[in-house]
Amino acid sequence: MTDLERAVSCSGNVAFCMKFQLGFPAEILSGSNPFCEGQQIKFGDIVHPDDYQPFCEIINNIANGSDCEIRLHSRLKTADEYVWYYITGSAVTNASGMLKSVNGMMFNVSAYLDCDAEDAVLHRFRSKHAANLSDGKPVFTLNDILGEDYLIRIQNPFTQIKGLFSAIIDSSGKAILASGKADKHFNLGKMNYQRKKNIRVRHKAIASWVIAGDTQDIVDGNAALLETMANTVSGVANSYVVLVEEMENSQNANKLLGQTFEDQILVNNVYSLILNSPNTKSAVAGILPLISEYFGLSDMMFCSQKEIPAKVYRWDLSGMMLPVLCGILEIQSISEELEYSGIVCTDLDTIHPEHEGDNLGCSLVSTFDGGKRSGVFVYTSEQVGKTWSNRERKLLKNITQILSTVVNKMFMEDELSTSRARLERIAYYDHETGIPNRSMFERDFREEITNGKKGAVIAFEISNLKTISEIYGCEYSEKVLQSFAEYISAIPCSAAKTVYRFSSDVLMVTLSGSDREEARQFAQVILTKFRSPWYLDNNEQLLQVYAGVTIYPSDAADIDNCVSAATQTLRLAKERKLEDAACYSEGLEEQLGNTRLVKKLIAEAAENDFEGFYFLYQPVIDIKTGQLHCCEANLYWTNGDITVPRDQFQPIIDRLGLSNELYRYTVDKICRFCMTVRDAGVEHFRVSFAIPENILSTEVSIEALRSSLLEYSLPPSAVSVSVSESERTLYAGNMFLQQMSKIGVNVIADDLGGGYFTIAPLENTAVKTIKILSSRFNDDAVSTSFLQSVIRLAHEKDIAVCVKGVDSPAIFNKIKNYNIDLLEGTFNGRPLHSEEFINKLVGSSVISHIS
C-alpha cells in the first residue's frame, strides 16, 4: 500500500472512477468501500433520493460540456445510514469529446453536516413542492410546479438553432423565453410562422410551448423535437403532482424523479449531437459511442424491412451505414411481440443461430414510419444472458425512435445524393460518349473567370466526322470522337486539362494556367499525331483535325467572347486547310493569308535547290575556361523581305515530301562549315544541329550524316545532334540514336520548353550533353531543388550540362551559382552567319572556302 492509499484509507476518504452509464457505476480506486462489499458501487443506488435530481443535473452539465468538474454535497447510503459526503471530480472525455468517466474523491463531512434535518434539506432542494391541484383544475401555474430555471434550461436545444425562437406560456399568461433569446424586441404575436404544443397535467392544458421562426421550413423541421420536449415537460410536471399527492416527502418518488432526470441526460445529449452536427453521418458517429457506452453494448445493427428481402446494416466509426451479410431469423412469436409492444429482449442464439461466439443478450426494438413497422434496431449487450430492466426498455424505445428519424434521414440523403449525381450526369455529360458537355464547359469556365484564373481554350474539330458517320454509322462515329477525346486526355501536360464535347464534331479543351506557347505546343502534338492514320475496331481512318487556340482573359474575358474567338480561329484554320495549330490574334485572317504566301515561297525555294536557306551559328562557351566549346547551327529561309525559322517551314517541307533532301542539304552545309574552320586552325571545332523527329526515325539520319563526314574527312565527334524529349524520339529504344552514339556522334538532350522536362534523358546512355532553358531557373524552392538534383545526377553519369537562352547579365547572375558546364545565348555573342562567324574566329582569309 502506498503512502497516499494509506492516508486515504485512514482518513475515511475515497477515490473513485465513475462511468457515464445507466445508474452511474463506479469503481473504488483507493480507500475502503464504506457502501458495500467489493470495489464496485452504483451512485444511482447510494445517492439519497432527495439528492439524486441535483446530482443528475450536475452530471448533465458535464455531459453537455458546460462544466468540466463536480463539486457538490450529497448524502450517500452506507451500510447503516445516510452520511454526508463532499464529492469532487474531473471529467475524462474520449477522442471525439464525449464524456467517458469522472475521476475524483469523496470526503466524509458528516462531522460538519447533520443528516437528521430531513425536512429542511427537502425544503432546500425541493422548494417548489407546494404545487397542487384541486377539483381537477390547476391552482398553480407550470412555473410554480417546475420553476422558471428549469423551464428556461429545458428550452436549451432550441437556442442552438439560428432563426428559431422558443417560449413557454403558462396559464397566467407569462412567457418564459429560452436562455439567450430574451430580447426585449422579441414579440411572438409578430412572428408569422409558429407551432404550439400544450403541456398537460392530469390531462388538462396547464401551459403552451410555442416555437416561432423566420421561415415555415425551420418551424416544421423542429416540430418533432417540440413534440418530444413538450411531452417530456408534461411527464416531469405530472411526476411532481403525483409526488405531492402521494407523499410530500416520498423518497421513492424522488428516486423515480431523479432517474427521469438521469434518463433525460442521455436524451438531451443525443438531441444536442443531432442539432450541433454538420450532417447526419457526423451526428450518428457521435450518438453510437454514447449509446454503446451508456448501455454497455458490443454491437448495434439496423434491419430495414422496407425492402424485400430485408437488408441489415452496421455503422462504421464515421457514421456510414454499411450493408452486412448477416440475416436475422424471422420468428413468428418475436414478430407478434414487436407488433404489440415494440420491444423484445432475447439472445443471439435465438435470432441468429449461425453466429459464432458467446450467446450475448440482445434487445430488438421496432421503428415505425407512417404507422407501419419499417425496421428493427438490434442492440447487443456485452453480457451473456443480459436481463433488461423496464427502465432500460423504456429508454431504448425512446432512443430508438430518435435514431429511426436520423436513419430515415440518412436513407433520404443517400437517395437524394444518388438522384443528384444521376441528374448531374444527365445535365453535364454527353449521353453517347460520357464526355463532359457544353453545359459543364460553360459552368467550369465561368468559375475559372470568377476566380481570376487564366489559361487556354483549344477548339478541335474532326471535319470529316460526318462522312465517317454516313459510311460506318452514327454509333461508330461517336466511338471515333470518344477515342479522340480519350487520346487528348492521355497526353501529358503541366497544366490542368479538361476535355468537353462542344458540338457534334467539336471538342473544347481547357488548359488552366497555361500560356500561349504551351497551349500551341500541346495542340501541335495532337495535330502531328493525327497526320497519321487512326485505327479503331480494325478500321483505318484518316481524320482531318484542325485546332484553334485562345488565351483567356487576354484574348477574351468572358465565355461568349472566348467561345467566339476559339471557333473563329478554328474556322479560319479549317478554311485554309492549316495542319498547324492557329492561335487567336487581332488580324488573324491577314496573318493566315501571309502564311499561305510563305508556304508558296518555301515550296518554290525547296524545289529550286533550297535557294534562300542559310544558317546562323550561336557560340557555346565553356563556363569554367571562357573558351569556345562549339556552336549551334540554326537553319532559316529568307527572300530578302521575309525570314522564316525552321519550326515554321519544316511542316511545309514535310508535306512536300522533301524532308530527306533538306536533311542531306543541312548536314552537307554544316560539315563543310566545320571542315573550313578546322582547316583554318581551330582543330577541335564542333557544330551541333537539331535533327527532326521524322528523320531520326529513318535510316537516312545515319546514312546522310556518315556520308558527309566521310566526304569532308571529319571525325564523328565533330558533329552533335540535338534531340528534344517533347518530340518523342529521345528514348533508349531508338536504334538510330544509339547507332549515332556508337559511331561517336555527340547526342544532346535539348529543352524546348513547356511541360516536357524530366530526368528521363539522363537514363539514356546515348546522351552526352543536356540543355536546360534559362527560364527554368527561378526563385521557387521546389524548382531550385529539382534542377540541382538534375545537374548532380547528370555529372554522376558524366553528362555535360548546358544552359541555353542566357541573353542578359541578370540571367547569368541567376545561374552562375549552379554547377553548370556550358553557356549558350546572346550574353556570349549574337548568332552569326557562316562568313561572319569565321571572320571573327580565324580571319577573313578562309571565307572563300565555304562559298
Side-chain angles (χ1 to χ4, degrees):
M1 182 181 292
T2 65
D3 294 339
L4 176 59
E5 291 174 333
R6 188 178 296 107
V8 169
S9 178
C10 294
S11 65
N13 300 328
V14 180
F16 69 93
C17 175
M18 181 186 73
K19 294 184 178 180
F20 183 59
Q21 294 179 358
L22 195 65
F24 304 123
E27 179 183 1
I28 303 301
L29 301 178
S30 62
S32 60
N33 184 356
F35 312 108
C36 60
E37 295 182 359
Q39 297 299 103
Q40 303 296 325
I41 62 171
K42 265 194 174 183
F43 275 96
D45 295 336
I46 65 172
V47 174
H48 193 284
D50 292 345
D51 300 343
Y52 199 52
Q53 176 190 337
F55 178 83
C56 291
E57 289 185 352
I58 292 175
I59 299 300
N60 182 47
N61 291 338
I62 295 179
N64 63 32
S66 61
D67 208 343
C68 61
E69 59 181 16
I70 293 177
R71 292 183 184 276
L72 75 149
H73 288 84
S74 179
R75 289 164 289 184
L76 304 182
K77 187 177 182 180
T78 61
D80 302 324
E81 58 181 352
Y82 282 99
V83 176
W84 278 104
Y85 275 84
Y86 176 65
I87 306 173
T88 180
S90 298
V92 178
T93 58
N94 57 22
S96 60
M98 301 302 299
L99 177 62
K100 184 177 181 181
S101 63
V102 175
N103 295 340
M105 295 285 296
M106 294 184 287
F107 303 92
N108 188 332
V109 293
S110 57
Y112 311 104
L113 297 176
D114 186 4
C115 285
D116 295 335
E118 291 283 341
D119 294 337
V121 173
L122 179 63
H123 180 74
R124 183 168 64 250
F125 283 107
R126 303 289 302 281
S127 61
K128 297 180 291 293
H129 73 283
N132 200 354
L133 299 173
S134 65
D135 300 326
K137 182 178 180 181
V139 176
F140 297 98
T141 64
L142 184 65
N143 189 16
D144 295 326
I145 296 174
L146 297 178
E148 186 171 342
D149 290 342
Y150 173 81
L151 296 179
I152 291 175
R153 290 199 307 272
I154 198 68
Q155 298 180 70
N156 280 344
F158 294 108
T159 64
Q160 305 175 39
I161 303 172
K162 186 177 181 180
L164 188 70
F165 300 89
S166 170
I168 296 176
I169 305 173
D170 64 14
S171 56
S172 68
K174 180 181 179 181
I176 301 172
L177 303 182
S179 176
K181 300 287 187 178
D183 188 342
K184 64 181 180 180
H185 299 295
F186 169 67
N187 188 340
L188 276 175
K190 294 183 179 179
M191 303 297 286
N192 293 329
Y193 306 102
Q194 298 184 13
R195 187 176 288 270
K196 180 174 71 174
K197 176 67 177 175
N198 287 335
I199 299 172
R200 297 179 179 272
V201 175
R202 283 295 182 86
H203 309 293
K204 300 292 182 179
I206 192 173
S208 298
W209 194 331
V210 180
I211 60 172
D214 299 329
T215 64
Q216 187 67 47
D217 290 340
I218 194 170
V219 173
D220 292 342
N222 292 277
L225 178 58
L226 174 65
E227 177 87 13
T228 301
M229 300 300 285
N231 290 338
T232 299
V233 174
S234 294
V236 174
N238 276 289
S239 299
Y240 271 102
V241 172
V242 170
L243 290 176
V244 172
E245 286 186 343
E246 290 183 356
M247 185 186 296
E248 189 172 292
N249 293 327
S250 174
Q251 292 186 346
N252 290 331
N254 283 339
K255 179 69 173 181
L256 292 174
L257 186 61
Q259 289 179 349
T260 301
F261 274 90
E262 180 188 336
D263 296 344
Q264 192 63 40
I265 293 175
L266 179 63
V267 175
N268 284 344
N269 275 277
V270 170
Y271 274 124
S272 295
L273 284 168
I274 294 173
L275 295 173
N276 293 327
S277 298
N279 53 58
T280 310
K281 291 178 182 177
S282 299
V284 172
I287 292 171
L288 293 181
L290 179 69
I291 296 175
S292 298
E293 182 77 16
Y294 194 82
F295 289 102
L297 303 178
S298 63
D299 190 20
M300 283 179 61
M301 292 189 299
F302 174 70
C303 179
S304 174
Q305 296 177 328
K306 290 185 177 181
E307 300 98 346
I308 299 176
K311 293 183 179 179
V312 182
Y313 300 88
R314 274 195 180 92
W315 287 271
D316 64 7
L317 295 176
S318 67
M320 178 77 73
M321 290 186 68
L322 305 175
V324 294
L325 298 174
C326 174
I328 297 177
L329 189 62
E330 187 72 25
I331 301 173
Q332 184 66 25
S333 60
I334 292 180
S335 296
E336 292 176 354
E337 181 66 21
L338 283 173
E339 200 71 45
Y340 175 72
S341 64
I343 184 169
V344 172
C345 297
T346 178
D347 52 50
L348 286 180
D349 284 349
T350 302
I351 64 170
H352 185 39
E354 298 179 358
H355 88 283
E356 298 179 358
D358 298 333
N359 183 25
L360 302 175
C362 58
S363 181
L364 282 67
V365 186
S366 291
T367 62
F368 296 90
D369 186 14
K372 296 182 180 180
R373 211 172 79 193
S374 59
V376 177
F377 274 90
V378 181
Y379 302 94
T380 304
S381 173
E382 296 174 340
Q383 302 175 18
V384 176
K386 163 76 173 177
T387 300
W388 303 84
S389 66
N390 289 332
R391 181 185 170 196
E392 288 176 315
R393 293 174 180 225
K394 181 180 178 181
L395 191 55
L396 276 177
K397 289 177 70 174
N398 292 337
I399 294 296
T400 299
Q401 295 313 309
I402 299 173
L403 281 178
S404 68
T405 304
V406 177
V407 169
N408 287 335
K409 186 177 179 183
M410 287 184 67
F411 281 126
M412 187 180 298
E413 287 176 350
D414 289 342
E415 291 176 4
L416 287 174
S417 177
T418 302
S419 299
R420 191 180 295 111
R422 189 183 301 115
L423 289 173
E424 183 173 342
R425 183 154 192 88
I426 293 172
Y428 292 116
Y429 290 86
D430 180 64
H431 178 67
E432 299 294 334
T433 61
I435 305 171
N437 61 16
R438 180 170 182 165
S439 296
M440 181 174 280
F441 167 74
E442 292 174 352
R443 185 194 70 178
D444 294 349
F445 187 85
R446 286 193 179 96
E447 184 178 347
E448 283 271 302
I449 293 295
T450 302
N451 293 332
K453 295 183 179 180
K454 61 181 182 178
V457 174
I458 308 174
F460 288 100
E461 179 181 353
I462 305 177
S463 63
N464 60 335
L465 189 65
K466 184 177 180 180
T467 304
I468 294 173
S469 176
E470 293 173 350
I471 298 173
Y472 294 92
C474 292
E475 183 177 352
Y476 182 80
S477 66
E478 293 293 317
K479 291 176 67 176
V480 170
L481 187 68
Q482 183 178 8
S483 66
F484 180 54
E486 290 173 349
Y487 180 81
I488 295 175
S489 299
I491 295 297
C493 182
S494 61
K497 174 174 79 268
T498 310
V499 182
Y500 305 89
R501 183 173 188 175
F502 193 76
S503 64
S504 59
D505 53 1
V506 175
L507 297 179
M508 289 288 189
V509 181
T510 59
L511 302 179
S512 181
S514 175
D515 58 21
R516 193 180 303 275
E517 181 59 25
E518 183 180 11
R520 188 198 65 76
Q521 288 185 13
F522 179 83
Q524 193 61 48
V525 169
I526 306 297
L527 295 180
T528 302
K529 170 63 182 178
F530 284 93
R531 290 173 188 165
S532 304
W534 183 251
Y535 295 91
L536 181 66
D537 294 347
N538 297 321
N539 292 316
E540 178 183 308
Q541 304 294 341
L542 189 60
L543 303 183
Q544 297 173 8
V545 182
Y546 300 95
V549 180
T550 301
I551 305 300
Y552 62 88
S554 58
D555 294 342
D558 56 54
I559 187 167
D560 293 333
N561 289 330
C562 185
V563 170
S564 175
T567 52
Q568 178 191 1
T569 306
L570 178 64
R571 176 183 61 81
L572 293 173
K574 180 180 175 181
E575 288 177 353
R576 289 162 173 75
K577 304 294 183 182
L578 297 180
E579 296 187 10
D580 298 325
C583 294
Y584 176 83
S585 64
E586 294 293 336
L588 180 62
E589 289 197 60
E590 182 179 351
Q591 294 177 23
L592 292 178
N594 293 337
T595 301
R596 299 187 69 179
L597 174 63
V598 168
K599 287 183 178 180
K600 180 181 178 182
L601 294 174
I602 292 293
E604 292 175 352
E607 292 171 353
N608 193 22
D609 296 328
F610 298 103
E611 182 181 0
F613 285 84
Y614 69 95
F615 288 93
L616 289 180
Y617 296 92
Q618 174 68 54
V620 178
I621 304 300
D622 188 319
I623 197 170
K624 296 181 176 65
T625 64
Q627 299 297 317
L628 178 68
H629 178 267
C630 66
C631 68
E632 181 180 37
N634 295 295
L635 184 59
Y636 296 86
W637 174 86
T638 185
N639 65 351
D641 297 325
I642 303 174
T643 300
V644 182
R646 198 199 81 171
D647 61 345
Q648 292 185 21
F649 66 67
Q650 186 69 52
I652 302 173
I653 297 296
D654 293 342
R655 286 193 292 273
L656 292 173
L658 299 175
S659 303
N660 292 345
E661 287 73 9
L662 179 63
Y663 176 69
R664 289 191 176 94
Y665 172 85
T666 299
V667 294
D668 179 77
K669 291 293 184 182
I670 288 173
C671 288
R672 176 182 295 183
F673 171 73
C674 185
M675 177 203 70
T676 302
V677 176
R678 283 180 171 241
D679 290 346
V682 185
E683 184 178 352
H684 300 292
F685 184 74
R686 289 179 290 181
V687 181
S688 68
F689 69 98
I691 185 168
E693 174 188 4
N694 58 338
I695 297 297
L696 189 57
S697 302
T698 63
E699 293 182 356
V700 175
S701 60
I702 301 293
E703 176 190 331
L705 182 60
R706 182 180 288 154
S707 175
S708 293
L709 290 173
L710 290 173
E711 180 181 351
Y712 296 107
S713 302
L714 292 173
S717 60
V719 177
S720 300
V721 294
S722 177
V723 185
S724 169
E725 184 181 2
S726 62
E727 292 181 332
R728 314 286 180 178
T729 51
L730 191 59
Y731 58 93
N734 190 323
M735 64 179 184
F736 300 108
L737 201 63
Q738 296 295 332
Q739 287 181 21
M740 284 187 180
S741 178
K742 286 180 180 179
I743 66 175
V745 174
N746 183 40
V747 177
I748 301 173
D750 201 359
D751 178 10
L752 297 184
Y756 301 97
F757 184 69
T758 69
I759 63 169
L762 302 180
E763 305 299 327
N764 193 331
T765 55
V767 174
K768 297 299 184 290
T769 303
I770 180 172
K771 286 187 177 182
I772 305 174
L773 275 171
S774 62
S775 59
R776 298 195 186 275
F777 293 81
N778 51 50
D779 297 329
D780 177 50
V782 175
S783 300
T784 300
S785 178
F786 175 71
L787 289 173
Q788 288 174 340
S789 300
V790 169
I791 294 170
R792 183 173 60 254
L793 183 60
H795 288 155
E796 290 175 358
K797 296 178 177 291
D798 293 328
I799 296 174
V801 178
C802 175
V803 177
K804 58 186 285 189
V806 183
D807 299 331
S808 67
I811 298 176
F812 176 76
N813 291 332
K814 184 179 292 186
I815 68 167
K816 66 181 181 180
N817 294 326
Y818 291 83
N819 191 13
I820 304 299
D821 302 302
L822 306 172
L823 208 62
E824 176 186 336
T826 56
F827 180 71
N828 303 325
R830 62 181 176 83
L832 303 172
H833 288 273
S834 55
E835 297 86 349
E836 190 177 8
F837 189 97
I838 294 175
N839 185 38
K840 288 183 176 294
L841 186 65
V842 295
S844 59
S845 59
V846 296
I847 296 178
S848 60
H849 295 288
I850 63 169
S851 59

